[in-house]
Amino acid sequence: MSDAPLSAPSGGIGRSARVAAVARGMGHRAGPVVAVVAVLVAIWYAACLPMNVGNTLLQAERAGAVVTPEGPAARRQMGSVALMAANPSLLPGAWSLERPRLPAPHQVAVALWDGVAGQSVTSARSLVYHAWVTLSATLLGFAIGTGLGILLAVGIVHSRVMEMSVMPWAIVSQTVPIIAIAPMIIVVLYSVGVQGIVPKAVISAYLSFFPVVVGMVTGFRSPDAMQLDLLRTYAATRAQIFGKLRLPASLPYLFASLKIGVAASLVGAIVAELPTGAQAGLGARLLAGSYYGQNIQIWAALFAAALLAAGLVGLIGLVERGLLARMGMGQ
Amino acid sequence: MSLVLVALLLWAGLWALNVRLANRSGPAGRGRRILVPVIFGITLLLVWELVVRGLDVPLVILPAPSVIAARFVGALPMLWADFVQTIVKGALSGYAMGCLAAFAVAILADRVEFLRRGLLPVGNFMAALPIVGTAPILVGWYGFDWQSKAAVVVVMVFFPVLVNTVAGLRDTSAMQRDLMRTYGASYAQTLLKLRLPAAMPFVFNGLKIATTLALIGAIVAEFFGSPTQGIGFRISTSVGQLALDTVWAEIVVAALAGSAFYGIIALIETRVTFWHPSHRR
C-alpha cells in the first residue's frame, strides 16, 4: 500500500509523480500535438455522419428533398452505413442539425463562444455565470480541504499515534468511491437548514482532503536521514526542523497534491449539483441538457468544465514553477 | 446525555491504549501495524453509535452504525442485485475494455515516435479533466442499462492507463536496451522480454488509479438515468425518500467493492512485479 496513488478518488488527474517526471522531460514540441488534435477533430467530424444520419434524413425529407428509401419506418430497418451510402448528397446536413445526437465541433465551439461571450454574465444562459457558481463552490471547498489536509499531515508527521491510527484509513479512503455520499450530504445539510454554496463546498473539501493528506505526509517525510541529522547536530527544535527543512522540502509534493486536489474539487462541485436538481452551475447545465435532450448544451458545458479544470491546474502549475524557481528547486 | 459522556470516556480510553501501543519502543511489528488502526476504526464506530443514541439524532440526518448494519443484513438480496448491476456489469466490463484499449494504444504509441509525442500531452491533459461529465452524453447514446455505464468507465480509465503505460514502456536504461541489441533481439523480443516487464510497475500504478475511477464513473453515470437497480440509482432514490439507512448500506457496498477491487489489483501487482525494489523484503 506504500505506493498508493495520490489521485485515486479524484475522478480527475491520473498520473503519478514518476509519470509527471517522465512527461516533463519530453520537451515542448507542438507539432505532434497539433497533428493528434487535428486527427481527433477529423474523427469527430466523421463520427457525426453515422451518429446523426437518421435525424439528417428525416429533416431533409421534411424540407422536401428526395430521400432513399422514403419514410422513416423503412429507414429504421437499415444500418447507418447503408443509409449514408444511399444518400451521399444529403450527408453534410449532419453537421448543422438543431438537435444532433453528436454535435459537430464547430457547433460546440459556437455554443461555447455564445455562452461565454454572447450573453450578459448575470444571465442564466451565460456559461460564465454557471462556471462562476461551480467555481466559487470549488474554490471554497478546495481551500477548506487543503487547509485541513495539511494540518492533519502535520499532525501525522509529528505524532506516531496519529500516523499509525489515521494513515491507513486515509490510504484506504483513496480506494473507495467516496463521491457516492455526495447526494446524501446535500440532502442532510439541507434538512438542517444549510443550503447554497456550503453543501457543494463540503463535498469539494472532502474530495480534495485525502489526496492532500497522503501527498503532504510523503512530502514532509521527503528529507532524508542525513539532512535531519544535520539539523539535529545544530540542536534544532521540532518547530525549526519543520519550518526550515520539512516545509520547504515538501513544496514539490504540495503542488502535485494541489493539482490533484483542485481537479477533484471541481468534479465534486459538479457532481454535487446533480442530485438536487440545482438551478445553476455547470453540473446543473449538464443535467438540464440531458433532461431536454440538448446535446449541444451538454457538450458546451462539458468543454466549459474542461477549460475550467485546465485553467485551475495550469494556474497552480504557474505558481509552482515561479516559486520553485525562486527557491532554486526549478528545472 | 450520559451516553455521550460514555462516548467521550471511551474515546479517551481507547486513544490512550493506542498511544501506549504506538509509542512502545522497538520497531512496530505487523501485528501492531494492523491493531492500532483497527482500534481507531472501532473507536470511531462506537463513538458514532453512542453519540447518535445519546443525542437522539434523527434517522434522516445520521443513522447509527447498528441501524446501518441491520439494514445491510436485511437488504442483502437487493444490495447484491445492485452490486451486480453497477460493479460487475458496469464497472468491471468497462474497466476491462478501457484498460485493454489503452494498453493497445500505448504499445502503438510507443512504436510510433510521432504518435507518442502527440498523444502523451493530450492524454495528460485529458486525464486532468472532469471526464465524469461525459456521462449524460453516453447515457443518451447507449440507453439506461449497463452499456452506457461501461462506456463512461471506458472513457474514464483510458487516459490514466494510457499515460502510465507509455511512460512505463520508456523506463528502460540505454544499457539494458543495448544488451538486447547485442543479443540480436527483434522488436517483439525486446518488447516482451525487457520493456513490458520493466513497464509493469507503471502499468499497475495506472490500473490501481483506474479501479476507483471505474467505480466513480459507474455510480455517477447512474445519477443521469438507470434501470431500477444499481448503487447510484439506489443512493439517489433512497436519498429522495430520506431512507438514509439504505444509502449508508449502499455506501458500505461501494466501499467494500472499491477496497476489494483495489486489493485484488495490488495483489496481482506484487505477484507480477516481485522483482521491483518496493516489493523486496
Short mmCIF file of all heavy atoms in Angstrom, two decimals, chain A residues 5 8-9 11-13 15-16 19 23 26 29 32 51 101 160 164-165 169 174-175 181 184 187-188 192 274 298-299 302 306 310, chain B residues 18 22 36-37 40 61 114 116 118 120 124-125 127-129 133 137 141 163-164 205 209 212-213 216 224 239 244 248 251 258 262:
data_model
loop_
_atom_site.label_atom_id
_atom_site.label_comp_id
_atom_site.label_asym_id
_atom_site.label_seq_id
_atom_site.Cartn_x
_atom_site.Cartn_y
_atom_site.Cartn_z
N PRO A 5 -1.78 5.57 -5.03
CA PRO A 5 -1.90 6.71 -5.94
C PRO A 5 -2.49 7.90 -5.22
O PRO A 5 -3.41 7.75 -4.42
CB PRO A 5 -2.86 6.19 -7.00
CG PRO A 5 -3.67 5.17 -6.30
CD PRO A 5 -2.76 4.54 -5.28
N ALA A 8 -6.39 8.80 -6.59
CA ALA A 8 -7.44 7.82 -6.79
C ALA A 8 -8.87 8.35 -6.73
O ALA A 8 -9.63 8.11 -7.65
CB ALA A 8 -7.26 6.68 -5.81
N PRO A 9 -9.27 9.08 -5.68
CA PRO A 9 -10.70 9.39 -5.63
C PRO A 9 -11.09 10.58 -6.48
O PRO A 9 -12.23 10.99 -6.45
CB PRO A 9 -10.91 9.70 -4.16
CG PRO A 9 -9.63 10.29 -3.74
CD PRO A 9 -8.55 9.67 -4.59
N GLY A 11 -11.35 11.23 -9.71
CA GLY A 11 -12.07 11.21 -10.95
C GLY A 11 -11.45 12.18 -11.93
O GLY A 11 -12.05 12.59 -12.90
N GLY A 12 -10.25 12.57 -11.65
CA GLY A 12 -9.63 13.57 -12.48
C GLY A 12 -8.24 13.15 -12.86
O GLY A 12 -8.07 12.19 -13.59
N ILE A 13 -7.27 13.84 -12.34
CA ILE A 13 -5.90 13.59 -12.73
C ILE A 13 -5.53 12.15 -12.48
O ILE A 13 -5.80 11.60 -11.44
CB ILE A 13 -4.97 14.49 -11.91
CG1 ILE A 13 -4.87 15.82 -12.61
CG2 ILE A 13 -3.61 13.88 -11.80
CD1 ILE A 13 -3.87 16.71 -12.02
N ARG A 15 -2.12 10.62 -12.85
CA ARG A 15 -0.74 10.33 -13.14
C ARG A 15 0.07 10.43 -11.88
O ARG A 15 -0.22 11.22 -10.98
CB ARG A 15 -0.19 11.26 -14.20
CG ARG A 15 -0.05 12.69 -13.72
CD ARG A 15 0.47 13.50 -14.86
NE ARG A 15 1.02 14.75 -14.37
CZ ARG A 15 1.21 15.80 -15.16
NH1 ARG A 15 0.92 15.73 -16.41
NH2 ARG A 15 1.71 16.90 -14.66
N SER A 16 1.07 9.60 -11.81
CA SER A 16 1.88 9.58 -10.62
C SER A 16 3.03 10.56 -10.78
O SER A 16 3.26 11.12 -11.85
CB SER A 16 2.45 8.19 -10.43
OG SER A 16 3.32 7.93 -11.49
N VAL A 19 5.36 9.49 -13.48
CA VAL A 19 4.91 9.79 -14.84
C VAL A 19 5.12 11.26 -15.14
O VAL A 19 5.58 11.63 -16.22
CB VAL A 19 3.43 9.42 -15.00
CG1 VAL A 19 2.96 9.84 -16.38
CG2 VAL A 19 3.25 7.95 -14.80
N ALA A 23 7.03 12.85 -18.16
CA ALA A 23 6.34 13.74 -19.08
C ALA A 23 7.06 15.08 -19.18
O ALA A 23 7.11 15.69 -20.25
CB ALA A 23 4.90 13.95 -18.62
N MET A 26 10.11 15.65 -21.66
CA MET A 26 9.89 15.32 -23.06
C MET A 26 10.01 16.48 -24.02
O MET A 26 9.85 16.31 -25.21
CB MET A 26 8.51 14.71 -23.22
CG MET A 26 8.41 13.38 -22.57
SD MET A 26 7.11 12.45 -23.28
CE MET A 26 6.04 13.73 -23.79
N ARG A 29 7.53 20.21 -27.95
CA ARG A 29 7.34 20.43 -29.37
C ARG A 29 5.87 20.29 -29.71
O ARG A 29 5.24 19.28 -29.39
CB ARG A 29 8.20 19.46 -30.17
CG ARG A 29 9.51 20.17 -30.56
CD ARG A 29 10.34 19.32 -31.45
NE ARG A 29 11.47 18.78 -30.71
CZ ARG A 29 12.19 17.76 -31.17
NH1 ARG A 29 11.87 17.17 -32.28
NH2 ARG A 29 13.23 17.35 -30.48
N PRO A 32 3.59 17.43 -33.13
CA PRO A 32 2.83 16.18 -33.00
C PRO A 32 1.51 16.37 -32.26
O PRO A 32 0.51 15.73 -32.61
CB PRO A 32 3.78 15.28 -32.20
CG PRO A 32 5.13 15.86 -32.38
CD PRO A 32 4.93 17.33 -32.56
N MET A 51 -23.67 8.98 -36.66
CA MET A 51 -24.47 9.23 -35.46
C MET A 51 -25.74 10.00 -35.79
O MET A 51 -26.79 9.80 -35.19
CB MET A 51 -23.65 10.03 -34.44
CG MET A 51 -22.53 9.27 -33.77
SD MET A 51 -23.11 7.92 -32.74
CE MET A 51 -23.72 8.81 -31.33
N ARG A 101 -27.52 14.12 -32.30
CA ARG A 101 -27.07 13.19 -31.25
C ARG A 101 -25.63 13.48 -30.90
O ARG A 101 -25.22 13.42 -29.75
CB ARG A 101 -27.19 11.74 -31.74
CG ARG A 101 -28.61 11.22 -31.73
CD ARG A 101 -28.63 9.80 -32.20
NE ARG A 101 -28.13 8.87 -31.20
CZ ARG A 101 -27.72 7.64 -31.47
NH1 ARG A 101 -27.74 7.20 -32.71
NH2 ARG A 101 -27.31 6.85 -30.51
N ARG A 160 3.28 9.78 16.35
CA ARG A 160 3.31 8.38 15.93
C ARG A 160 1.95 7.73 16.05
O ARG A 160 1.56 6.92 15.20
CB ARG A 160 4.32 7.66 16.83
CG ARG A 160 5.01 6.52 16.17
CD ARG A 160 6.07 5.98 17.10
NE ARG A 160 6.07 4.53 16.99
CZ ARG A 160 6.48 3.88 15.91
NH1 ARG A 160 6.93 4.54 14.88
NH2 ARG A 160 6.45 2.56 15.86
N MET A 164 -0.07 6.00 12.99
CA MET A 164 -0.48 4.60 12.94
C MET A 164 -1.99 4.44 12.90
O MET A 164 -2.51 3.48 12.32
CB MET A 164 0.12 3.83 14.12
CG MET A 164 1.61 3.60 13.95
SD MET A 164 2.33 2.70 15.33
CE MET A 164 1.77 1.04 15.00
N SER A 165 -2.72 5.39 13.54
CA SER A 165 -4.18 5.23 13.58
C SER A 165 -4.85 5.72 12.31
O SER A 165 -5.75 5.07 11.78
CB SER A 165 -4.77 6.01 14.76
OG SER A 165 -4.05 5.79 15.92
N TRP A 169 -6.22 4.49 7.21
CA TRP A 169 -7.59 4.83 6.78
C TRP A 169 -7.55 5.86 5.66
O TRP A 169 -8.36 5.80 4.73
CB TRP A 169 -8.42 5.33 7.95
CG TRP A 169 -8.66 4.26 8.96
CD1 TRP A 169 -8.13 4.19 10.21
CD2 TRP A 169 -9.46 3.09 8.81
NE1 TRP A 169 -8.54 3.05 10.83
CE2 TRP A 169 -9.37 2.36 10.02
CE3 TRP A 169 -10.26 2.58 7.78
CZ2 TRP A 169 -10.03 1.15 10.21
CZ3 TRP A 169 -10.92 1.38 7.98
CH2 TRP A 169 -10.81 0.68 9.18
N GLN A 174 -8.68 6.26 -0.34
CA GLN A 174 -8.39 6.57 -1.74
C GLN A 174 -8.90 5.49 -2.67
O GLN A 174 -8.98 5.70 -3.88
CB GLN A 174 -6.89 6.70 -1.94
CG GLN A 174 -6.27 7.71 -1.04
CD GLN A 174 -5.55 8.77 -1.82
OE1 GLN A 174 -4.85 8.52 -2.76
NE2 GLN A 174 -5.77 9.99 -1.42
N THR A 175 -9.19 4.31 -2.13
CA THR A 175 -9.67 3.24 -2.99
C THR A 175 -11.19 3.18 -3.01
O THR A 175 -11.76 2.34 -3.69
CB THR A 175 -9.14 1.88 -2.49
OG1 THR A 175 -9.81 1.57 -1.26
CG2 THR A 175 -7.66 1.92 -2.25
N ILE A 181 -21.26 9.51 -1.53
CA ILE A 181 -22.04 10.08 -0.44
C ILE A 181 -22.45 11.52 -0.73
O ILE A 181 -23.11 12.15 0.10
CB ILE A 181 -21.32 9.99 0.93
CG1 ILE A 181 -20.08 10.88 0.94
CG2 ILE A 181 -20.94 8.59 1.27
CD1 ILE A 181 -19.45 10.93 2.32
N MET A 184 -26.18 12.38 -0.38
CA MET A 184 -26.66 12.34 0.99
C MET A 184 -26.26 13.61 1.75
O MET A 184 -27.06 14.17 2.50
CB MET A 184 -26.07 11.11 1.68
CG MET A 184 -26.65 10.86 3.01
SD MET A 184 -25.94 9.39 3.69
CE MET A 184 -24.25 9.85 3.74
N VAL A 187 -28.58 16.47 0.91
CA VAL A 187 -29.92 16.38 1.49
C VAL A 187 -29.87 16.57 3.00
O VAL A 187 -30.70 17.28 3.58
CB VAL A 187 -30.56 15.04 1.10
CG1 VAL A 187 -31.82 14.81 1.91
CG2 VAL A 187 -30.86 15.02 -0.37
N VAL A 188 -28.88 15.95 3.66
CA VAL A 188 -28.79 16.06 5.11
C VAL A 188 -28.53 17.51 5.51
O VAL A 188 -29.18 18.05 6.41
CB VAL A 188 -27.67 15.14 5.65
CG1 VAL A 188 -27.35 15.50 7.08
CG2 VAL A 188 -28.10 13.70 5.54
N VAL A 192 -31.01 20.25 7.72
CA VAL A 192 -30.69 21.02 8.92
C VAL A 192 -30.55 22.51 8.58
O VAL A 192 -30.06 23.29 9.39
CB VAL A 192 -29.41 20.52 9.63
CG1 VAL A 192 -29.60 19.13 10.15
CG2 VAL A 192 -28.20 20.59 8.70
N LEU A 274 -25.77 17.61 -9.20
CA LEU A 274 -26.66 16.69 -9.90
C LEU A 274 -27.89 16.29 -9.10
O LEU A 274 -29.01 16.42 -9.57
CB LEU A 274 -25.90 15.43 -10.33
CG LEU A 274 -24.72 15.66 -11.25
CD1 LEU A 274 -24.06 14.33 -11.57
CD2 LEU A 274 -25.17 16.33 -12.52
N ILE A 298 -25.02 20.24 -23.51
CA ILE A 298 -24.19 19.37 -22.68
C ILE A 298 -22.73 19.51 -23.08
O ILE A 298 -21.85 19.66 -22.24
CB ILE A 298 -24.63 17.90 -22.82
CG1 ILE A 298 -26.07 17.72 -22.36
CG2 ILE A 298 -23.71 17.00 -22.02
CD1 ILE A 298 -26.54 16.30 -22.44
N TRP A 299 -22.47 19.44 -24.40
CA TRP A 299 -21.08 19.50 -24.85
C TRP A 299 -20.44 20.84 -24.49
O TRP A 299 -19.28 20.88 -24.11
CB TRP A 299 -21.01 19.26 -26.36
CG TRP A 299 -21.11 17.82 -26.73
CD1 TRP A 299 -22.24 17.12 -26.98
CD2 TRP A 299 -20.03 16.88 -26.85
NE1 TRP A 299 -21.95 15.81 -27.26
CE2 TRP A 299 -20.59 15.64 -27.19
CE3 TRP A 299 -18.65 16.99 -26.71
CZ2 TRP A 299 -19.83 14.50 -27.40
CZ3 TRP A 299 -17.88 15.85 -26.92
CH2 TRP A 299 -18.48 14.62 -27.26
N LEU A 302 -19.66 20.79 -20.90
CA LEU A 302 -18.54 19.88 -20.68
C LEU A 302 -17.22 20.57 -21.01
O LEU A 302 -16.24 20.49 -20.26
CB LEU A 302 -18.73 18.64 -21.54
CG LEU A 302 -17.81 17.47 -21.30
CD1 LEU A 302 -17.96 16.99 -19.88
CD2 LEU A 302 -18.12 16.35 -22.26
N ALA A 306 -14.08 21.56 -18.73
CA ALA A 306 -12.71 21.15 -19.06
C ALA A 306 -11.78 22.35 -19.05
O ALA A 306 -10.66 22.29 -18.51
CB ALA A 306 -12.70 20.47 -20.42
N ALA A 310 -8.61 22.83 -16.67
CA ALA A 310 -7.28 23.08 -17.23
C ALA A 310 -6.73 24.40 -16.71
O ALA A 310 -5.54 24.51 -16.38
CB ALA A 310 -7.36 23.08 -18.75
N ASN B 18 -4.09 3.28 22.32
CA ASN B 18 -3.36 3.40 21.07
C ASN B 18 -2.03 4.12 21.27
O ASN B 18 -1.02 3.76 20.66
CB ASN B 18 -4.21 4.16 20.04
CG ASN B 18 -4.82 3.21 19.02
OD1 ASN B 18 -4.55 2.01 19.05
ND2 ASN B 18 -5.63 3.75 18.14
N ALA B 22 1.39 2.51 20.24
CA ALA B 22 2.18 3.12 19.18
C ALA B 22 3.55 3.53 19.68
O ALA B 22 4.54 3.45 18.94
CB ALA B 22 1.45 4.32 18.60
N VAL B 36 -3.44 -1.11 15.67
CA VAL B 36 -3.69 0.30 16.02
C VAL B 36 -4.78 0.92 15.13
O VAL B 36 -5.74 1.49 15.66
CB VAL B 36 -2.38 1.10 15.98
CG1 VAL B 36 -2.65 2.57 16.15
CG2 VAL B 36 -1.44 0.61 17.07
N PRO B 37 -4.67 0.83 13.81
CA PRO B 37 -5.75 1.41 13.01
C PRO B 37 -7.10 0.73 13.23
O PRO B 37 -8.14 1.40 13.16
CB PRO B 37 -5.28 1.22 11.56
CG PRO B 37 -4.14 0.31 11.59
CD PRO B 37 -3.56 0.39 12.96
N PHE B 40 -8.57 2.19 16.26
CA PHE B 40 -9.04 3.53 15.93
C PHE B 40 -10.39 3.47 15.20
O PHE B 40 -11.32 4.23 15.52
CB PHE B 40 -8.00 4.25 15.07
CG PHE B 40 -8.37 5.65 14.69
CD1 PHE B 40 -8.38 6.65 15.64
CD2 PHE B 40 -8.73 5.96 13.39
CE1 PHE B 40 -8.73 7.95 15.30
CE2 PHE B 40 -9.08 7.26 13.04
CZ PHE B 40 -9.08 8.24 14.01
N ILE B 61 -30.95 12.28 9.48
CA ILE B 61 -29.68 13.04 9.48
C ILE B 61 -28.51 12.08 9.53
O ILE B 61 -27.61 12.14 8.69
CB ILE B 61 -29.66 14.05 10.64
CG1 ILE B 61 -30.67 15.16 10.35
CG2 ILE B 61 -28.26 14.62 10.81
CD1 ILE B 61 -30.73 16.21 11.38
N PHE B 114 6.23 9.63 -33.38
CA PHE B 114 5.42 10.82 -33.62
C PHE B 114 4.12 10.78 -32.83
O PHE B 114 3.71 11.75 -32.20
CB PHE B 114 5.12 10.91 -35.13
CG PHE B 114 4.42 12.17 -35.53
CD1 PHE B 114 5.13 13.35 -35.69
CD2 PHE B 114 3.05 12.17 -35.74
CE1 PHE B 114 4.48 14.51 -36.07
CE2 PHE B 114 2.40 13.33 -36.12
CZ PHE B 114 3.11 14.51 -36.29
N ARG B 116 3.56 9.11 -30.12
CA ARG B 116 3.80 9.24 -28.69
C ARG B 116 3.93 10.71 -28.30
O ARG B 116 3.37 11.15 -27.31
CB ARG B 116 5.07 8.49 -28.30
CG ARG B 116 5.32 8.46 -26.82
CD ARG B 116 6.62 7.79 -26.49
NE ARG B 116 7.75 8.51 -27.05
CZ ARG B 116 8.26 9.62 -26.51
NH1 ARG B 116 7.73 10.11 -25.41
NH2 ARG B 116 9.27 10.23 -27.06
N GLY B 118 2.68 13.18 -29.71
CA GLY B 118 1.40 13.88 -29.80
C GLY B 118 0.41 13.40 -28.76
O GLY B 118 -0.33 14.19 -28.17
N LEU B 120 0.85 11.76 -25.76
CA LEU B 120 1.12 11.83 -24.33
C LEU B 120 0.66 13.17 -23.72
O LEU B 120 -0.03 13.17 -22.70
CB LEU B 120 2.60 11.55 -24.04
CG LEU B 120 2.87 11.02 -22.65
CD1 LEU B 120 1.96 9.85 -22.32
CD2 LEU B 120 4.31 10.61 -22.49
N ASN B 124 -2.25 13.37 -21.01
CA ASN B 124 -2.04 14.00 -19.72
C ASN B 124 -3.08 15.08 -19.47
O ASN B 124 -3.60 15.21 -18.36
CB ASN B 124 -0.65 14.65 -19.68
CG ASN B 124 0.36 13.72 -19.07
OD1 ASN B 124 0.07 13.03 -18.10
ND2 ASN B 124 1.54 13.67 -19.65
N PHE B 125 -3.38 15.84 -20.53
CA PHE B 125 -4.38 16.90 -20.41
C PHE B 125 -5.74 16.29 -20.11
O PHE B 125 -6.44 16.72 -19.18
CB PHE B 125 -4.41 17.69 -21.72
CG PHE B 125 -5.42 18.78 -21.75
CD1 PHE B 125 -5.22 19.94 -21.03
CD2 PHE B 125 -6.56 18.65 -22.50
CE1 PHE B 125 -6.16 20.95 -21.05
CE2 PHE B 125 -7.50 19.66 -22.53
CZ PHE B 125 -7.31 20.81 -21.81
N ALA B 127 -6.45 13.45 -18.80
CA ALA B 127 -6.53 12.78 -17.51
C ALA B 127 -6.86 13.77 -16.39
O ALA B 127 -7.31 13.37 -15.33
CB ALA B 127 -5.23 12.05 -17.20
N ALA B 128 -6.61 15.07 -16.63
CA ALA B 128 -6.89 16.06 -15.59
C ALA B 128 -8.30 16.62 -15.68
O ALA B 128 -8.70 17.39 -14.83
CB ALA B 128 -5.88 17.21 -15.68
N LEU B 129 -9.05 16.24 -16.71
CA LEU B 129 -10.36 16.86 -16.92
C LEU B 129 -11.46 16.11 -16.18
O LEU B 129 -11.31 14.92 -15.88
CB LEU B 129 -10.68 16.87 -18.42
CG LEU B 129 -9.68 17.64 -19.27
CD1 LEU B 129 -10.14 17.65 -20.70
CD2 LEU B 129 -9.51 19.05 -18.75
N GLY B 133 -18.23 14.16 -16.62
CA GLY B 133 -19.21 14.99 -17.31
C GLY B 133 -19.71 14.40 -18.61
O GLY B 133 -20.75 14.81 -19.12
N ILE B 137 -24.00 12.44 -21.90
CA ILE B 137 -23.93 12.19 -23.34
C ILE B 137 -24.00 10.69 -23.60
O ILE B 137 -24.80 10.21 -24.43
CB ILE B 137 -22.62 12.75 -23.91
CG1 ILE B 137 -22.58 14.26 -23.71
CG2 ILE B 137 -22.48 12.39 -25.37
CD1 ILE B 137 -21.24 14.87 -23.92
N TRP B 141 -26.69 8.15 -25.51
CA TRP B 141 -26.38 7.32 -26.68
C TRP B 141 -26.70 5.85 -26.46
O TRP B 141 -27.26 5.20 -27.33
CB TRP B 141 -24.90 7.43 -27.04
CG TRP B 141 -24.54 8.73 -27.68
CD1 TRP B 141 -25.39 9.72 -28.06
CD2 TRP B 141 -23.22 9.19 -27.99
NE1 TRP B 141 -24.68 10.75 -28.58
CE2 TRP B 141 -23.36 10.47 -28.57
CE3 TRP B 141 -21.94 8.65 -27.86
CZ2 TRP B 141 -22.28 11.20 -29.00
CZ3 TRP B 141 -20.86 9.38 -28.28
CH2 TRP B 141 -21.02 10.65 -28.86
N VAL B 163 -1.42 6.90 -20.26
CA VAL B 163 -0.28 7.74 -19.91
C VAL B 163 0.73 6.94 -19.09
O VAL B 163 1.94 7.02 -19.34
CB VAL B 163 -0.79 8.97 -19.12
CG1 VAL B 163 0.36 9.73 -18.54
CG2 VAL B 163 -1.60 9.86 -20.01
N ASN B 164 0.24 6.16 -18.14
CA ASN B 164 1.16 5.39 -17.31
C ASN B 164 1.89 4.32 -18.12
O ASN B 164 3.08 4.09 -17.92
CB ASN B 164 0.41 4.75 -16.14
CG ASN B 164 0.21 5.71 -15.01
OD1 ASN B 164 1.14 5.99 -14.26
ND2 ASN B 164 -0.97 6.27 -14.90
N ASN B 205 0.38 0.95 -11.57
CA ASN B 205 0.00 2.23 -10.98
C ASN B 205 -1.24 2.77 -11.69
O ASN B 205 -2.21 3.19 -11.05
CB ASN B 205 1.18 3.20 -11.09
CG ASN B 205 1.00 4.39 -10.20
OD1 ASN B 205 0.42 4.28 -9.14
ND2 ASN B 205 1.46 5.54 -10.66
N ILE B 209 -5.07 3.29 -10.09
CA ILE B 209 -5.81 4.55 -10.17
C ILE B 209 -7.15 4.30 -10.83
O ILE B 209 -8.19 4.82 -10.41
CB ILE B 209 -5.00 5.60 -10.95
CG1 ILE B 209 -3.77 6.00 -10.18
CG2 ILE B 209 -5.85 6.82 -11.25
CD1 ILE B 209 -2.81 6.85 -10.96
N THR B 212 -10.59 2.92 -8.85
CA THR B 212 -11.50 3.86 -8.20
C THR B 212 -12.27 4.66 -9.24
O THR B 212 -13.47 4.90 -9.09
CB THR B 212 -10.73 4.81 -7.28
OG1 THR B 212 -9.69 4.09 -6.66
CG2 THR B 212 -11.64 5.39 -6.25
N LEU B 213 -11.55 5.07 -10.30
CA LEU B 213 -12.23 5.84 -11.35
C LEU B 213 -13.37 5.03 -11.94
O LEU B 213 -14.44 5.58 -12.25
CB LEU B 213 -11.24 6.23 -12.44
CG LEU B 213 -10.19 7.25 -12.04
CD1 LEU B 213 -9.25 7.52 -13.21
CD2 LEU B 213 -10.86 8.53 -11.60
N ILE B 216 -16.31 5.20 -9.60
CA ILE B 216 -16.90 6.55 -9.62
C ILE B 216 -17.72 6.73 -10.89
O ILE B 216 -18.87 7.19 -10.85
CB ILE B 216 -15.79 7.62 -9.54
CG1 ILE B 216 -15.15 7.61 -8.15
CG2 ILE B 216 -16.36 9.00 -9.84
CD1 ILE B 216 -13.95 8.50 -8.05
N PHE B 224 -27.64 9.94 -13.92
CA PHE B 224 -28.23 10.51 -15.13
C PHE B 224 -29.27 9.59 -15.75
O PHE B 224 -29.75 9.85 -16.84
CB PHE B 224 -27.14 10.80 -16.17
CG PHE B 224 -26.30 11.98 -15.84
CD1 PHE B 224 -25.06 11.81 -15.25
CD2 PHE B 224 -26.74 13.26 -16.11
CE1 PHE B 224 -24.29 12.90 -14.94
CE2 PHE B 224 -25.97 14.35 -15.80
CZ PHE B 224 -24.74 14.17 -15.21
N VAL B 239 -32.10 8.63 -1.09
CA VAL B 239 -31.92 9.97 -0.52
C VAL B 239 -33.22 10.75 -0.65
O VAL B 239 -33.64 11.44 0.27
CB VAL B 239 -30.75 10.69 -1.22
CG1 VAL B 239 -30.84 12.18 -1.01
CG2 VAL B 239 -29.42 10.19 -0.69
N LEU B 244 -32.05 6.99 4.86
CA LEU B 244 -30.60 7.10 4.91
C LEU B 244 -29.91 5.80 5.31
O LEU B 244 -28.73 5.60 5.00
CB LEU B 244 -30.18 8.22 5.87
CG LEU B 244 -30.38 9.64 5.33
CD1 LEU B 244 -29.48 10.61 6.06
CD2 LEU B 244 -30.11 9.72 3.85
N TRP B 248 -26.62 4.44 3.42
CA TRP B 248 -25.36 4.05 4.07
C TRP B 248 -25.00 2.60 3.75
O TRP B 248 -23.83 2.27 3.56
CB TRP B 248 -25.47 4.25 5.58
CG TRP B 248 -25.19 5.67 5.99
CD1 TRP B 248 -26.11 6.62 6.29
CD2 TRP B 248 -23.91 6.30 6.11
NE1 TRP B 248 -25.48 7.81 6.59
CE2 TRP B 248 -24.15 7.65 6.50
CE3 TRP B 248 -22.60 5.89 5.94
CZ2 TRP B 248 -23.11 8.56 6.72
CZ3 TRP B 248 -21.57 6.79 6.15
CH2 TRP B 248 -21.83 8.11 6.53
N ILE B 251 -23.42 2.62 0.54
CA ILE B 251 -22.07 3.17 0.62
C ILE B 251 -21.10 2.11 1.14
O ILE B 251 -19.96 2.00 0.67
CB ILE B 251 -22.07 4.44 1.50
CG1 ILE B 251 -22.76 5.57 0.74
CG2 ILE B 251 -20.66 4.85 1.88
CD1 ILE B 251 -23.10 6.75 1.57
N GLY B 258 -14.85 -1.24 -3.66
CA GLY B 258 -13.69 -0.46 -4.06
C GLY B 258 -12.41 -1.00 -3.46
O GLY B 258 -11.40 -1.19 -4.15
N TYR B 262 -9.37 -2.78 -5.57
CA TYR B 262 -8.01 -2.26 -5.47
C TYR B 262 -7.07 -3.32 -4.91
O TYR B 262 -5.96 -3.52 -5.41
CB TYR B 262 -8.01 -1.03 -4.56
CG TYR B 262 -6.69 -0.31 -4.47
CD1 TYR B 262 -6.44 0.79 -5.27
CD2 TYR B 262 -5.71 -0.71 -3.57
CE1 TYR B 262 -5.24 1.46 -5.20
CE2 TYR B 262 -4.50 -0.04 -3.49
CZ TYR B 262 -4.28 1.04 -4.31
OH TYR B 262 -3.09 1.70 -4.23
#
